[in-house]
């Protein structure tokens, strides 16, 4: 029989697999099919199963199962808490799943990490020093006593709180563990002086008492995580720690309480049972030390986002008529006029409406030289004003600003999984059960073949195997490198949308580039308008102005600016129609107007003036863009538009080619212009008159040949090819559609950013491989040594305490190696 149910709490494929595997554990369940998008599960069962039984198998997780007609109850909305409340697992156990509050990952047990968000930079509140219950969003006077309100000191982030809490517990744990260690190690001294004070039996009781705060307070979280991992069938590092340290401590407790049940092998010369309180507490304390060091090191992996957050100002000055009012960033609306003073951070994205200045954009573009900006120039949130005051008009606010989008993109990319991580995921799935098996085999072999006391050797070595194994290092190998690499890219003006793009960039064979806005400045200007007899330049310009005045295409904007500069009034046209990749069509007083390339003219059987066309082609051969204009199917004019090649394009193309990547240019411009630009930049493979589908087909063709293809562009017509390519690279100076379709965004719109992306990708991939090699090598060497492999040859055994120290530092070493990426030169 089949039944459908509603599943709540699922957000990713990791959730889906967890729910499916949990339900399949019920004996009567034959198959489970889950629709993640609909949140529904179809269960085939041999006999009816009560829904309570289905709920029970999910009771220890964040998921729940309900009848199909279940509707989630409406909950009373709670006041918004400070901070963004977004947490994620640093090992990405459940993909990109995020959590609303701090805690442990339900799969690996690691502390969840708080995502840094721009909203936290704007959260400033004020309170009265006499009446703390008064909390305001802005400064002013207390409504009760009239005292001036003071800013509330920002509380620590969840990350800092976790670190401080762990550090506090570490000191407490060390305070109790060190005496236990001294008592236990004193047994190695001849004529142990401690036995003159109390007999061994009493010292064992003292060790037990001292171990209780360590086991049941400072490190109890490890046992909670171990228990959770077992009941949810997500075996992890804490499973091994919990079993190893827990068995050692429980064995010691039983040894004190029931010494007579143990064989002579486990007893000392004084008749007491060998206890391992020092091993259990030292192991737990060293693991706690590893967690502290890991938390401290982990806080340095997202410094790029923290640096970006520092760019977000809290206040802005809004101009309201003759008055200027200081307001919160959250109060800025589109269209507001803001005053930016020297040295201040620009509050939102917009354009300069009055004045001029030089802007330091280094933190978001990676370029150290300030950029001169004048009226009409775009400026971005977070950049720093130079020495002059100016007025700006707000165009993008809140989450729409460039700074907010950068932070969001870095956060999303940091949470995503690189393809290479699949290797670690596959290994991790079998890791813990294999280690437990090896530990069991170790105990049996030492018990049968080991020297006397063989049971003691078997017990100690089996615990050492459990403790030294570290699946955590393996799980952190990839995400730590990705997080640091993505941050490094962001600080250099290269934004990766996901970890897959970061990895694939190092494997690119062919780079396809657009011309306008990619190789050229994307700031075209009209040089002149050429007309045939019977028409005047002003007449044609007014027609072109009328057609292009509502278009955002760079070429259209150039003609509009040209007309406005000559104070020409636009003609009123009707039935405007854009012909993709060719131009535009409109009606003017019942006359058909065509404005576009030669293909548009041919499609409409336009009568060509050969002299006019020949003149236009000569301009194209100089690298100029030359739109043709026809009226009633007769070619009457053309416009000469120049768009300077970016100063860095030649160097960038040359270095990209030297790195082994083939560069091809595809442009919608004519063959003459394309050839001139390609020749100047040293590009041998190029294609002119390319429509959006032509670019897509070229990407498909190259991919069918087994090549990895990157596409770089900045226009709407580039978006389909950007989305289809293995790695889409958008110019940050281009359209939002192109940026949305791309995997990588170059903030400055400079092709040198592609080189930076390639170098960074190479470095990150190398770093990931180093981490995986280290993590795997550590476990491959450490586990056999802990099992006693060296004992028959060198008489060397590994103490469980040394194993715990090695395990704790293995994860820290992986993170430290990933942090080296912050210093690489790209």
């Amino acid at each position: 029989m089949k039944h459908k149910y509603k599943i709540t709490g699922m957000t990713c494929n990791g959730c889906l697999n967890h729910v499916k595997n949990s339900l399949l554990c019920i004996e009567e369940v034959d198959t489970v099919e889950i629709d993640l998008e609909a949140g529904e599960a179809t269960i085939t069962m041999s006999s009816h199963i009560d829904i309570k039984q289905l709920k029970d198998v999910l009771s220890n997780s964040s998921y729940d199962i309900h009848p199909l007609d279940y509707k989630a109850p409406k909950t009373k909305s709670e006041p918004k808490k400070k901070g963004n409340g977004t947490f994620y697992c640093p090992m990405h156990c459940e993909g990109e799943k995020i959590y609303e509050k701090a805690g442990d990952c339900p799969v690996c047990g690691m502390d969840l990490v708080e995502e840094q968000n721009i909203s936290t930079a704007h959260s400033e509140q004020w309170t009265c020093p006499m009446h703390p219950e008064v909390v305001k969003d802005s400064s002013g006077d207390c409504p009760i006593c009239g005292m001036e309100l003071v800013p509330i000191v920002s509380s620590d982030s969840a990350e800092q709180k976790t670190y401080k809490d762990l550090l506090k517990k570490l000191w407490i744990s060390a305070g109790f563990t060190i005496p236990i260690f001294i008592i236990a190690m004193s047994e190695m001294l001849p004529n142990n002086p401690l036995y003159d004070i109390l007999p061994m039996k009493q010292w064992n009781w003292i060790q037990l008492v001292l171990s209780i705060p360590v086991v049941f307070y400072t490190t109890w979280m490890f046992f909670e995580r171990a228990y959770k991992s077992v009941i949810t069938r997500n075996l992890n590092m804490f499973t091994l720690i919990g079993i190893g340290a827990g068995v050692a401590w429980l064995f010691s407790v039983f040894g004190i309480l029931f010494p007579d049940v143990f064989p002579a092998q486990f007893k000392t010369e004084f008749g007491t049972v060998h206890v391992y309180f020092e091993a259990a507490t030292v192991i737990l304390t060293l693991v706690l030390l590893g967690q502290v060091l890991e938390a401290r090191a982990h806080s340095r992996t997202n410094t790029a986002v923290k640096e970006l957050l520092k760019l977000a100002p809290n206040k802005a000055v809004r101009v309201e008529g003759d008055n200027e009012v200081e307001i919160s960033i959250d109060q800025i609306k589109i269209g507001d006029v803001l005053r930016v003073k020297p040295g201040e951070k620009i509050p939102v994205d917009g354009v300069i409406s009055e004045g001029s200045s030089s802007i330091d954009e280094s933190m978001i573009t990676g370029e150290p030289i300030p950029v001169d900006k004048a009226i009409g120039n775009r400026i971005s949130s977070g950049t720093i004003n130079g020495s002059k005051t100016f007025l700006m008009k707000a165009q993008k606010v809140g989450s729409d600003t460039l700074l907010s989008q950068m932070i969001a993109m870095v956060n999303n990319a940091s949470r995503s999984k690189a393809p290479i991580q699949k290797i670690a995921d596959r290994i991790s799935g079998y890791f813990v059960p294999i280690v437990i098996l090896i530990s069991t085999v170790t105990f049996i072999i030492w018990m049968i073949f080991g020297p006397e006391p063989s049971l003691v050797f078997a017990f100690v070595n089996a615990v050492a195997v459990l403790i030294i194994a570290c699946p955590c290092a393996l799980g952190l190998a990839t995400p730590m490198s990705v997080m640091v690499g993505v941050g490094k890219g962001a600080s250099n003006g290269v934004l990766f949308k996901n970890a897959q793009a970061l990895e694939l960039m190092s494997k690119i064979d062919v780079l396809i580039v657009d011309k306008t806005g990619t190789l050229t400045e994307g700031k075209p200007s009209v040089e002149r308008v050429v007309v045939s007899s019977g028409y005047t330049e002003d007449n044609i310009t007014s027609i072109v102005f009328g057609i292009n005045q509502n278009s955002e295409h760079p070429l259209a904007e150039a003609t509009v600016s040209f007309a406005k500069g000559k104070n020409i009034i636009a003609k009123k046209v009707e039935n405007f129609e854009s012909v993709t990749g060719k131009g535009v069509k409109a009606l003017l007083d019942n006359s058909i107007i065509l404005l576009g390339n030669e293909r548009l003219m041919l499609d409409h059987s336009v009568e060509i003036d050969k002299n006019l066309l020949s003149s236009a082609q000569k301009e194209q051969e100089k690298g100029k863009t030359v739109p043709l204009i026809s009226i009633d199917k007769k070619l009457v004019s053309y416009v000469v538009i120049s768009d300077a090649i970016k100063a860095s394009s030649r160097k960038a193309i040359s270095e990209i080619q030297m790195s082994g990547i083939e560069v091809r240019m595809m442009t919608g411009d004519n063959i003459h212009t394309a050839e001139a630009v390609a020749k100047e930049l040293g590009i041998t493979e190029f294609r002119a008159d390319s429509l959006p589908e032509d670019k897509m087909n070229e990407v498909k063709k190259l991919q069918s040949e087994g090549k990895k293809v990157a596409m770089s562009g900045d226009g709407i017509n580039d978006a389909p090819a950007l989305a289809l390519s293995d790695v889409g690279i958008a110019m940050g100076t281009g359209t939002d559609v192109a940026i949305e379709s791309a995997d990588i965004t170059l903030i400055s719109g400079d092709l040198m950013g592609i080189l930076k992306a390639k170098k960074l990708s190479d470095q990150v991939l190398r770093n990931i491989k180093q981490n995986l090699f280290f993590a795997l090598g550590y476990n491959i060497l450490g586990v056999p040594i802990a099992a006693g492999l060296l004992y028959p040859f060198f008489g060397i055994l590994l103490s469980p305490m040394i194993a715990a120290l090695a395990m704790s530092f293995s994860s820290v070493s992986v993170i430290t190696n990933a942090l080296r990426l912050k210093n690489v030169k790209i």
Side-chain angles (χ1 to χ4, degrees), residues 245-281:
V247 167
W249 189 82
L250 289 172
F251 174 91
S252 302
V253 172
F254 272 81
I256 290 178
L257 297 176
F258 310 104
D260 295 336
V261 303
F262 290 87
Q265 279 188 337
F266 284 101
K267 294 184 178 179
T268 67
E269 57 186 288
F270 300 101
T272 58
V273 176
H274 281 290
V275 293
Y276 298 95
F277 291 117
E278 91 286 354
T281 54

Side-chain angles (χ1 to χ4, degrees), residues 404-421:
S404 295
Q405 289 175 346
M406 286 179 67
I407 293 170
M409 193 175 287
V410 172
N411 281 328
N412 292 337
S414 298
R415 290 202 308 269
S416 63
K417 280 192 176 185
I420 196 172
Q421 192 171 343

Side-chain angles (χ1 to χ4, degrees), residues 292-591:
V292 170
L293 295 175
E294 194 174 303
R296 185 176 181 181
H298 195 283
S299 67
R300 296 168 56 203
T301 60
N302 57 5
T303 50
V305 175
K306 292 177 181 177
E307 289 300 318
L308 289 174
L309 285 172
K310 291 178 183 178
L311 297 177
N314 290 320
K315 303 291 183 182
V317 176
R318 182 165 61 197
V319 178
E320 299 177 353
D322 296 330
N323 299 320
E324 294 184 359
V325 181
E326 186 177 76
I327 60 173
S328 168
I329 293 294
D330 299 327
Q331 294 176 275
I332 299 175
K333 298 177 182 178
I334 295 174
D336 282 353
V337 176
L338 310 171
R339 181 177 295 281
V340 183
K341 299 175 183 178
E344 289 185 343
K345 296 170 184 174
I346 294 170
V348 293
D349 292 1
V351 295
I352 295 179
S353 57
E354 183 180 315
S356 63
S357 187
S358 59
I359 308 296
D360 180 359
E361 300 181 333
S362 58
M363 272 306 296
I364 60 172
T365 65
E367 302 299 330
I369 302 173
V371 181
D372 292 333
K373 300 283 186 176
I375 294 175
N377 289 153
R378 295 180 182 178
I379 49 179
S380 300
S381 167
T383 55
I384 302 171
N385 184 22
S387 57
K388 298 180 181 179
T389 298
F390 61 84
L391 297 182
M392 65 170 291
K393 187 175 182 180
Q395 291 185 328
K396 292 183 179 180
V397 299
S399 60
D400 293 330
T401 65
L402 175 62
L403 182 60
S404 295
Q405 289 175 346
M406 286 179 67
I407 293 170
M409 193 175 287
V410 172
N411 281 328
N412 292 337
S414 298
R415 290 202 308 269
S416 63
K417 280 192 176 185
I420 196 172
Q421 192 171 343
K422 293 177 182 177
I423 300 172
D425 289 345
R426 281 198 295 268
I427 296 173
S428 298
Y430 300 98
F431 187 90
V432 175
I434 290 174
V435 170
I436 294 174
L437 178 62
I438 293 173
S439 177
T440 305
V441 171
T442 298
F443 183 89
I444 294 171
I445 291 175
W446 276 93
M447 182 180 66
I448 297 174
F449 302 105
E452 294 297 331
S454 59
L455 285 175
V456 174
F457 278 111
F459 179 77
V460 171
N461 290 326
V463 170
V465 169
L466 290 173
I467 298 302
I468 199 169
C470 189
C472 181
L474 192 61
L476 288 171
T478 300
M480 288 299 102
S481 298
V482 168
M483 182 177 292
V484 179
V486 166
K488 177 72 175 180
S491 62
N492 283 271
V494 181
L495 296 182
F496 290 89
K497 183 176 285 187
N498 51 51
Q500 182 174 353
L502 182 60
E503 179 179 333
L504 284 177
M505 191 61 205
S506 68
K507 303 175 183 178
I508 293 301
D509 302 306
V510 181
L511 171 65
I512 299 175
V513 293
D514 181 39
K515 181 181 72 69
T516 305
T518 303
L519 297 174
T520 64
E521 293 287 352
K523 299 175 182 177
S525 59
V526 175
E527 289 188 1
R528 63 184 182 279
V529 177
V530 179
V531 299
S532 62
S533 59
Y535 296 91
T536 65
E537 180 181 326
D538 287 354
N539 186 26
I540 294 297
T541 301
S542 66
I543 295 174
V544 174
F545 185 8
I547 293 175
N548 283 336
Q549 61 182 340
N550 295 318
S551 174
E552 293 183 357
H553 192 284
L555 297 180
E557 290 180 356
T559 59
V560 170
S561 297
F562 178 73
K564 287 181 177 179
K566 299 188 70 174
N567 295 319
I568 292 175
I569 299 173
K571 294 279 188 181
K572 187 176 180 181
V573 299
E574 298 174 335
N575 297 342
F576 177 88
E577 179 185 344
S578 176
V579 184
T580 305
K582 297 177 183 179
V584 294
K585 179 181 177 182
L587 281 179
L588 174 63
D589 298 330
N590 295 321
S591 293

